[in-house]
Amino acid sequence: MILENKKAVCIMSGGMDSTLSAYMVQKDGYDIVAVHFNYAQRTQTKELSCFHAVCDDLGVINRYVLDLDFFSQIGASALTDKNIEVPINGIEEGVPVTYVPFRNGIFLSIAAAIAEKESAEIISIGVVEEDSSGYPDCRESYIKSMQESINLGTKDETKIEIYMPLVHLKKSQIVQYALELNVPLRHTWSCYKNEESACGVCDSCRLRLNGFKLAGVKDPIEYQ
């Protein structure tokens, strides 16, 4: 009798954090079912190409690319509303205008449906609480509550764990661990503004560049 490997549904944006999370899941012996969301974000095309490049490197067993156009109808975020400028003057206190309302909650709900269909045991998400831009949907307490809700709202035999291995790490630690696991960081994208060369001044670029600086290595992607 051939036993199937255990499966993990990995939410993968094409960014550094979710990419590292997927490699950590694979290292733990899981087959990867990769999930990517196009949600009308400014860098949608670049993120999608990064997602596919990472999936090819990982050798995922299945990949889903889902279009969530309604995020642009909701708006209220600089990532999905072109009328709101992406801030470039440094990270400020509070929830920034790049926060997309309840994005991770929606992503996790859809990933839960895929996980139930695929009989996956875990959902991986690359949330970072301590060194992120102040997004409320990146908090460990929130993700744990989503795990409870998902298991209450699925079949009795469905038991899903939401895996968030980076939640208490700093960006420099994420860079170091990614290098140890030979994660192809050249295929990841963090910039909120640009698709050709990263802007270097949005919150996400600043966090990424500082992480590489503190780790003592050069970021392999191109900046303007």
Side-chain angles (χ1 to χ4, degrees):
M1 187 175 82
I2 299 173
L3 291 174
E4 285 191 9
N5 280 358
K6 50 192 182 177
K7 285 186 195 173
V9 169
C10 295
I11 299 171
M12 296 167 61
S13 67
M16 193 162 63
D17 303 339
S18 60
T19 297
L20 173 57
S21 298
Y23 279 79
M24 293 171 73
V25 167
Q26 188 179 67
K27 183 172 177 278
D28 287 340
Y30 289 87
D31 283 337
I32 305 296
V33 176
V35 180
H36 180 81
F37 299 106
N38 294 321
Y39 58 98
Q41 69 273 39
R42 287 173 185 261
T43 55
Q44 177 171 291
T45 302
K46 180 66 174 180
E47 288 180 28
L48 181 60
S49 68
C50 288
F51 166 75
H52 283 305
V54 170
C55 284
D56 291 344
D57 190 78
L58 270 171
V60 302
I61 60 167
N62 202 356
R63 64 184 87 176
Y64 292 80
V65 176
L66 302 176
D67 295 322
L68 307 181
D69 297 344
F70 61 82
F71 274 107
S72 61
Q73 291 177 267
I74 295 169
S77 169
L79 298 195
T80 57
D81 186 341
K82 298 283 172 52
N83 295 314
I84 304 173
E85 288 296 320
V86 173
I88 58 171
N89 295 320
I91 298 164
E92 299 176 356
E93 288 295 313
V95 179
V97 295
T98 50
Y99 165 65
V100 179
F102 206 60
R103 179 182 62 182
N104 284 344
I106 294 164
F107 286 2
L108 285 167
S109 297
I110 296 170
I114 294 170
E116 191 160 42
K117 174 212 167 184
E118 294 272 0
S119 299
E121 297 175 24
I122 67 171
I123 297 169
S124 164
I125 186 167
V127 291
V128 181
E129 183 174 325
E130 293 183 44
D131 198 16
S132 68
S133 296
Y135 295 159
D137 57 351
C138 288
R139 291 181 290 210
E140 181 181 28
S141 56
Y142 164 67
I143 302 294
K144 283 183 172 176
S145 74
M146 276 298 289
Q147 176 178 299
E148 185 178 355
S149 294
I150 285 167
N151 284 311
L152 283 170
T154 48
K155 294 179 292 190
D156 286 345
E157 61 267 30
T158 301
K159 296 284 187 292
I160 294 170
E161 175 193 351
I162 301 180
Y163 180 62
M164 43 178 166
L166 312 184
V167 72
H168 295 305
L169 297 185
K170 297 201 172 295
K171 271 289 192 278
S172 56
Q173 295 172 303
I174 290 167
V175 171
Q176 287 166 338
Y177 200 14
L179 292 170
E180 288 171 20
L181 291 185
N182 293 316
V183 174
L185 293 174
R186 67 189 182 279
H187 292 323
T188 64
W189 198 251
S190 304
C191 185
Y192 288 154
K193 282 170 63 70
N194 300 344
E195 294 190 301
E196 293 301 319
S197 54
C199 74
V201 289
C202 70
D203 288 1
S204 187
C205 278
R206 285 175 188 271
L207 285 166
R208 177 176 174 131
L209 282 167
N210 191 51
F212 274 93
K213 181 182 175 184
L214 292 173
V217 290
K218 187 179 184 299
D219 189 344
I221 71 167
E222 185 179 327
Y223 288 83
Q224 65 181 29

